[in-house]
Amino acid sequence: MQRNILLNPGPATTTDTVKMAQVVPDICPRERAFASMMKGMREDLVRIVHGDPDTYTSVLFCGSGTINIDICLNSLLPEGKKVLVVNNGAYSTRAAEICGYYGLPFIDLKFPVDALPDLDRIEQTFMKNPDIALVHTTHNETGTGILNPIREIGALAHRYGAVFTVDTTSTYAMRPIDIARDNIDFCMASAQKGLMAMTGLSFIIGNRALIERSADYPKRSYYCNLYLQYHFFETTGEMHFTPPVQTIYAARQALDEYFAEGEEAKWQRHLSVFEAIHAGLERLGFQDMIRRELQAGLVVCVKYPDDVNWDFEKVHDYCYARGFTIYPGKVSSQDTFRLCALGAITAKDIGDFFIVLEEALREYGIQIPVCYR
Ligand SMILES: *Cc1c(COP(=O)(O)O)cnc(C)c1O
């Protein structure tokens, strides 16, 4: 199989063994064998964030990662209470939009996209709004690659009696997370990012007692309700509606490969890819947008050079034709593109990529080192 190096922020490059794990004999997902595979998977997803299995559980859903944000926000807010979104990027903005679509009372507490949220302002917001019952933020804002101080935000949320949900889609199974020590009540991811599996399966990992407490919260969605899906799993072992069968077989294989590689070794591999990305960018003179010490170690957000010949589409197409995928930015104030350290790739792949990127710059007459005004 042709091996493509995906430097976009997910779906990630996968191993051939994960791709091939999808090819299985046909099976009805209501069979006991399938339910028992999902049971093991739910336990392993909790293990990845070091959750005590008596306190934490995980719930699977069929959908891309955004479904998790939707489900957490619409399912975990009691009647008459308010959501606080700590927002310094595109993914927390998405959470605020979801609150808007459901008509939930919410505060969109905005911070600059290239800085950490200010904990004092968050605390003042709690003091002024005793009805905040749910706080949501993003761990690694994938648009910029900034790492948010979730442990500190979670401590504040808990001090003021709120549940803390964190979008860990672009850190889970890469940057180590300890759900209890990091003060997380619910975190989430989809199979195609840190797990390096296929698209279509997402999961929420969180506090079982809080899910059970949400049983009588307002039901705002039929398909996307956390308690209903949890309850169905607990009583039948099955997903409420048809699961993405083959995708789940691939995720099972990816979990086995995750534990075989090991949490720390995998994180060090991602970090070595990240360092190689920085080294290559520096050599060609590219500047990144976020201060290096604020970056999560997984996404590099690169400023477009000020060169009349720079054309992202052309550079993308040149690299794509040679097996490397680069990705546009997601910041409105500045033109950027992104290079990410997700997936089954190594620092050597990044070395190969920069040879191709440099060829592309020469091909289109873009000055090297690239220039900024
Ligand atoms: C990828 C990602 C998502 C999910 O996006 P989808 O397009 O629904 O897959 C959510 N949050 C973060 C932080 C992400 O990186």
Side-chain angles (χ1 to χ4, degrees), residues 9-10 64-67 69 91 94 138-142 167-170 190 192-193:
S64 80
T66 303
I67 202 172
I69 315 174
Y91 287 92
R94 190 173 294 182
T138 307
H139 192 197
N140 170 22
E141 260 296 349
T142 318
D167 179 354
T168 53
T169 312
S170 60
S190 51
Q192 79 270 18
K193 296 214 177 174

Side-chain angles (χ1 to χ4, degrees), residues 155-174:
L156 273 176
H158 291 162
R159 193 175 318 143
Y160 288 88
V163 166
F164 187 40
T165 65
V166 187
D167 179 354
T168 53
T169 312
S170 60
T171 45
Y172 180 92
M174 293 181 283

Side-chain angles (χ1 to χ4, degrees), residues 332-350:
S332 51
S333 55
Q334 161 102 48
D335 282 329
T336 56
F337 66 98
R338 284 177 285 173
L339 300 176
C340 306
L342 282 67
I345 61 175
T346 64
K348 160 135 196 341
D349 295 316
I350 301 302

Side-chain angles (χ1 to χ4, degrees), residues 46 55-59 179 185-187 204-209 211:
V46 175
T55 308
Y56 299 96
T57 187
S58 74
V59 186
I179 190 166
D185 295 311
F186 294 90
C187 60
I204 295 170
I205 300 114
N207 187 300
R208 193 187 286 275
I211 300 178

